[in-house]
Amino acid sequence: MSTISFLITIAARKKLPQFLELYQERNILTSYITLGHGTARSDMLRVLGLDNSEKAVIFSFITDESWKQLKEDLVNRLYINVPNTGIAVTVPMSSVGGKRELGYLLYNQTYTRGEESVMRETQTELLVVIANQGYNNLVMDAARAAGAAGGTVIHARGTGTERAEMFFGVSLASEKDVILIVTKREQKNAIISSIMEKAGMETEAKAICISLPVSGTAGIRTIDRKE
């Protein structure tokens, strides 16, 4: 049985091509890139191995088997432990909307499906919806129809998906909207189903939805009261 994780990489922007080349080599073919800027204090940045220069943030999807090898490569080939290079973290995923979508995200990675057990007791989920740019309103309309309160949109660019697109018979725009939605666990499946039906891969939005377990919240009254 494999664990699937959401891989978040924060890299010095000038080193982005090296990270993407390595990820492609390791069959992490589906990634989404957005740009950022370091804001931490200079002493904290030194501890983290970063400076306040421009950053690239890479969102990818990875199995635990792939992560073991990639982590070694990040350290030994890209020297991620060297200051001003980057940071990579993995977050266990609790679900993916649709078998075809799962296959697309993990294309060419070894994956053995097992019982969904990661963070089963969490009461809150973070839904991450990746859709063609310009369709975030369609996604949010579908989410609200199933009880979602609201979401936050980040603009990103897809990369490395060409082979997966050919295999799964889909054609996706490179410019993306990433929509973040926090919801109660019992609403998660209904929201994902609504998004897949009204804004999924069969629509122009081509939305893919995953969920991540949330261990605590603040500022969301209906959820906070239950915690």
Side-chain angles (χ1 to χ4, degrees), residues 139-157:
V139 170
M140 283 309 308
D141 287 345
R144 289 191 183 97
T152 300
V153 180
I154 300 170
H155 297 299
R157 183 176 180 85

Side-chain angles (χ1 to χ4, degrees), residues 13 21 23 34 46 48 52 63 70 80-81 86 103 177:
R13 201 177 300 182
E21 182 179 0
Y23 285 17
T34 188
R46 284 193 295 271
L48 296 175
N52 63 352
T63 64
L70 180 66
I80 198 169
N81 292 337
D177 285 338

Side-chain angles (χ1 to χ4, degrees), residues 7-199:
L7 172 62
I8 305 170
T9 310
I10 304 172
R13 201 177 300 182
K14 63 184 179 181
K15 294 184 178 293
L16 176 61
Q18 295 171 262
F19 278 84
L20 292 179
E21 182 179 0
L22 174 61
Y23 285 17
Q24 292 280 301
E25 181 181 330
R26 288 300 172 195
N27 286 324
I28 304 167
L29 302 179
T30 305
S31 296
Y32 302 93
I33 305 165
T34 188
L35 303 180
H37 195 280
T39 61
R41 302 188 315 270
S42 57
D43 55 342
M44 180 58 69
L45 288 167
R46 284 193 295 271
V47 171
L48 296 175
L50 299 170
D51 60 17
N52 63 352
S53 63
E54 294 180 324
K55 309 297 180 190
V57 183
I58 311 168
F59 301 116
S60 310
F61 306 88
I62 193 167
T63 64
D64 46 3
E65 293 92 341
S66 297
W67 171 241
K68 291 175 184 176
Q69 182 60 60
L70 180 66
K71 184 177 179 180
E72 289 185 16
D73 290 337
L74 288 171
V75 172
N76 298 326
R77 292 174 52 181
L78 295 190
Y79 309 106
I80 198 169
N81 292 337
V82 174
N84 303 328
T85 301
I87 295 172
V89 299
T90 59
V91 182
M93 287 167 45
S94 57
S95 61
V96 179
K99 292 182 179 180
R100 180 175 68 162
E101 287 78 0
L102 173 62
Y104 171 76
L105 295 177
L106 296 179
Y107 179 65
N108 259 17
Q109 292 189 57
T110 301
Y111 172 65
T112 304
R113 188 178 181 87
E115 181 184 1
E116 183 180 349
S117 59
V118 176
M119 291 288 216
R120 177 177 289 171
E121 298 305 316
T122 58
Q123 298 302 308
T124 311
E125 298 274 339
L126 172 64
L127 304 187
V128 180
V129 186
I130 301 164
N132 287 341
Q133 191 174 59
Y135 291 91
N136 60 80
N137 287 332
L138 180 63
V139 170
M140 283 309 308
D141 287 345
R144 289 191 183 97
T152 300
V153 180
I154 300 170
H155 297 299
R157 183 176 180 85
T159 183
T161 61
E162 293 81 6
R163 279 184 285 173
E165 287 181 19
M166 290 176 62
F167 184 82
F168 286 94
V170 296
S171 179
L172 306 179
S174 59
E175 299 300 324
K176 299 294 182 183
D177 285 338
V178 179
I179 303 101
L180 308 178
I181 303 170
V182 178
T183 185
K184 291 181 288 186
R185 183 183 61 181
E186 56 265 31
Q187 293 179 307
K188 177 190 74 172
N189 289 339
I191 294 172
I192 291 177
S193 295
S194 182
I195 292 172
M196 290 176 62
E197 177 185 352
K198 300 173 182 177

